Amino acid sequence: MKLQIILPLIAYLLLVAGLSVYAMRKRREGSFLTEYFLGSRSMGGFVLAMTMATTYISASSFIGGPGAAYKYGLGWVLLSMVQVPAVWLSLGVLGKKFAILARRYNAVTLNDMLYARYRSPLLVWFASLSLLIAFIGAMTVQFVGGARLLETAAGIPYDTGLLIFGGTIALYTAFGGFRASVLNDAMQGVVMLAGTFLLLFAVIHAAGGMHSAVDKLQHIDPQLVSASGVDHILSPTFLASFSVLVCFGVIGLPHTAVRCISYKDSKAVHRGIIIGTIVVTILMFGMHLAGALGRAVMPDLAIPDQVIPTLMIHVLPPVAAGIFLAAPMAAIMSTINAQLLQSSATIVKDLYLRLYPQQMDNESLLKKMSGVITLLLGLLLLLAAWNPPEMIIWLNLLAFGGLEAVFFWPLVLGLYWEKANATGALSSMIMGAGCYTLLASFSLQPWGFHPIVPSLILSLIAFVVGNRFGHAAAPSAQASTPV
């Protein structure tokens, strides 16, 4: 039976490799950095929607989120729906204005945008180091999720699964670049949608129907069918914190923001908002509901994160389980390749070329560096994921919050507040990072709020106060290209 599960997965990984080779051959002439890290800004609406949705939906959404729904009940399913506007907010708030300025400044990375806006090398260094530190945590979560999936569903030992999974992603991202990443995202989005429908209907059928499943949950623990969840975890303050962390704050995530500078035209962004929002709604609701109802099918799982892979092999025929295994694998891979590329771009473009700008035209060196650094980062993450935590959702949310605390206000106010300056932005970054690190390290939740809420409030105050002591940067002399 394990062979029937593994064979479709192998076929899927070969398809990923094929798309990566195709992407390498479709690379356009021109700036290597723009092609490798942004795909020459050529994404259409469907690909934009899928890459936004699949980058946002990660191991936390396919493994950790359903695991939390399994543990806390149907209330967590309702909680997960606050994430529905995430794509709409990201493309709506950043969208056109962000893309127009990126073309004007010839920006390849998020930090290019920050430097063009604020003209502060110190701000770029702080932003770059913050991004790399947070991404290490975020990508480690994805590697753990992929290896745990192979361990539970295919019977592959965790260490072996980690090597197979991590090595595959490191290779195809390193050699395919951004174009391979978004093409795979589009294909992976379709796989995720099909897999979500398949698993949810199979779980409901195995539980004896929706009514029977809810009755079984109520018999196990009445709090599983309450709006507040088990142990009343879903309090108003938790709901407010979660909404900020996984919805409104997503605007400040670098790997999401960079997709807002890589699409083709206005038609693409309009279509991307509609399709992306629909895809996120279906995936969030379907996967979290499957996790919650899975408690009625298998009530005694010791590790909640194992609910989805265990359900796959319990309620689906072996071949179907093998096909569905590609769905959470797709969610994980799409998030890792986005964060891996952004990390590589930060090291090459924001750090190395800032120190050695004379190497900007040395495309041969940049090609080798970009591929090697992406590959090395992937291999280093294998080591970081060797000893996994029990529930990955909390580590993922911790990394999310750190990025949002640093980048949210410099991004948003940089776009919409003409008088915003580097002193205010750097003050906001330092306050956000410091406050979030302090609160998260000591597990402090003022008035019951997650650390991201006070961190964003204090970083906004720091931005406004710091802004009074600086001067607005002179506008860039780069020519504008309309979107």
Side-chain angles (χ1 to χ4, degrees), residues 12 57-58 127 136 141 162 172 201 229 286 300 311 313 327 330 349 395:
Y12 174 73
I57 294 173
S58 61
I136 288 172
V141 168
L162 186 60
Y172 96 73
F201 287 123
D300 301 316
L311 279 172
I313 59 178
K349 183 70 168 61
L395 179 57

Coordinates of all heavy atoms in Angstrom, one line a residue, residues 12 57-58 127 136 141 162 172 201 229 286 300 311 313 327 330 349 395:
Y12 N 4.6 13.3 -9.1 CA 4.4 14.8 -8.9 C 5.7 15.5 -8.8 O 5.9 16.6 -9.4 CB 3.6 14.9 -7.6 CG 3.5 16.4 -7.2 CD1 2.6 17.2 -7.8 CD2 4.2 16.9 -6.1 CE1 2.5 18.6 -7.4 CE2 4.1 18.2 -5.7 CZ 3.2 19.0 -6.4 OH 3.1 20.3 -6.0
I57 N -0.7 30.2 1.7 CA -1.2 29.0 2.4 C 0.0 28.0 2.4 O 0.5 27.6 1.4 CB -2.3 28.4 1.6 CG1 -3.5 29.3 1.7 CG2 -2.7 27.0 2.0 CD1 -4.7 28.9 0.8
S58 N 0.4 27.7 3.6 CA 1.7 26.9 3.8 C 1.5 25.7 4.6 O 0.3 25.2 4.7 CB 2.7 27.8 4.5 OG 2.1 28.2 5.8
A127 N 16.7 45.8 7.9 CA 15.6 45.1 7.3 C 16.1 43.7 6.7 O 15.4 42.7 6.9 CB 15.0 45.9 6.1
I136 N 14.3 32.1 8.4 CA 14.9 30.8 8.9 C 13.9 30.1 9.7 O 13.7 28.9 9.5 CB 16.2 31.1 9.7 CG1 17.3 31.5 8.8 CG2 16.6 29.8 10.5 CD1 18.6 32.0 9.5
V141 N 9.8 25.7 9.6 CA 8.4 25.1 9.8 C 8.0 24.3 8.5 O 7.4 23.2 8.6 CB 7.4 26.3 10.1 CG1 6.0 25.8 10.0 CG2 7.7 26.8 11.4
L162 N 12.9 14.2 5.3 CA 13.5 15.6 5.3 C 14.5 15.8 4.2 O 14.5 16.8 3.5 CB 14.1 15.9 6.7 CG 14.5 17.3 7.0 CD1 13.4 18.3 6.8 CD2 15.2 17.4 8.3
Y172 N 15.2 22.6 -7.2 CA 14.4 23.2 -8.3 C 14.3 24.7 -8.1 O 14.2 25.5 -9.1 CB 13.1 22.5 -8.4 CG 11.9 23.1 -7.6 CD1 11.3 24.3 -8.1 CD2 11.3 22.5 -6.5 CE1 10.2 24.8 -7.4 CE2 10.2 23.0 -5.9 CZ 9.7 24.2 -6.3 OH 8.6 24.7 -5.7
F201 N -14.7 15.5 1.4 CA -15.9 14.6 1.2 C -15.6 13.2 1.7 O -16.5 12.6 2.3 CB -16.2 14.6 -0.3 CG -16.8 15.8 -0.8 CD1 -16.3 16.5 -1.9 CD2 -18.0 16.3 -0.3 CE1 -16.9 17.7 -2.3 CE2 -18.6 17.5 -0.7 CZ -18.0 18.2 -1.8
G229 N -14.4 27.2 21.4 CA -13.4 26.2 21.3 C -13.1 25.5 22.6 O -13.6 26.0 23.7
G286 N -12.1 24.3 3.6 CA -12.1 22.9 3.4 C -11.1 22.1 4.3 O -11.4 21.1 4.9
D300 N -8.2 9.9 18.9 CA -7.2 9.7 19.9 C -5.8 10.0 19.3 O -4.8 9.4 19.8 CB -7.2 8.2 20.4 CG -8.5 7.9 21.1 OD1 -9.0 8.8 21.8 OD2 -9.1 6.8 20.8
L311 N -5.4 11.1 8.2 CA -6.7 11.0 7.5 C -6.6 10.5 6.1 O -7.4 9.7 5.6 CB -7.4 12.3 7.5 CG -8.2 12.7 8.8 CD1 -8.7 14.2 8.7 CD2 -9.4 11.8 9.1
I313 N -4.5 8.4 4.7 CA -4.3 7.0 4.6 C -5.5 6.2 5.2 O -5.6 5.0 5.0 CB -3.0 6.5 5.2 CG1 -2.8 6.9 6.6 CG2 -1.8 7.1 4.4 CD1 -1.6 6.4 7.3
A327 N -1.1 17.5 -2.4 CA -1.7 18.8 -2.1 C -1.1 19.5 -1.0 O -0.6 20.7 -1.1 CB -3.2 18.5 -1.8
A330 N 2.3 20.4 -2.0 CA 2.3 21.6 -2.9 C 2.3 22.9 -2.1 O 3.0 23.9 -2.4 CB 1.1 21.6 -3.8
K349 N 21.4 40.7 -3.6 CA 21.1 42.0 -4.1 C 21.2 43.1 -3.0 O 21.8 44.1 -3.2 CB 19.7 42.0 -4.7 CG 19.2 43.4 -5.3 CD 20.0 43.7 -6.6 CE 19.3 44.8 -7.3 NZ 19.3 46.1 -6.6
L395 N 5.2 28.1 15.9 CA 6.4 28.6 15.3 C 6.2 29.4 14.1 O 6.9 30.4 13.9 CB 7.4 27.4 15.1 CG 8.8 27.7 14.5 CD1 9.5 28.7 15.5 CD2 9.6 26.5 14.3

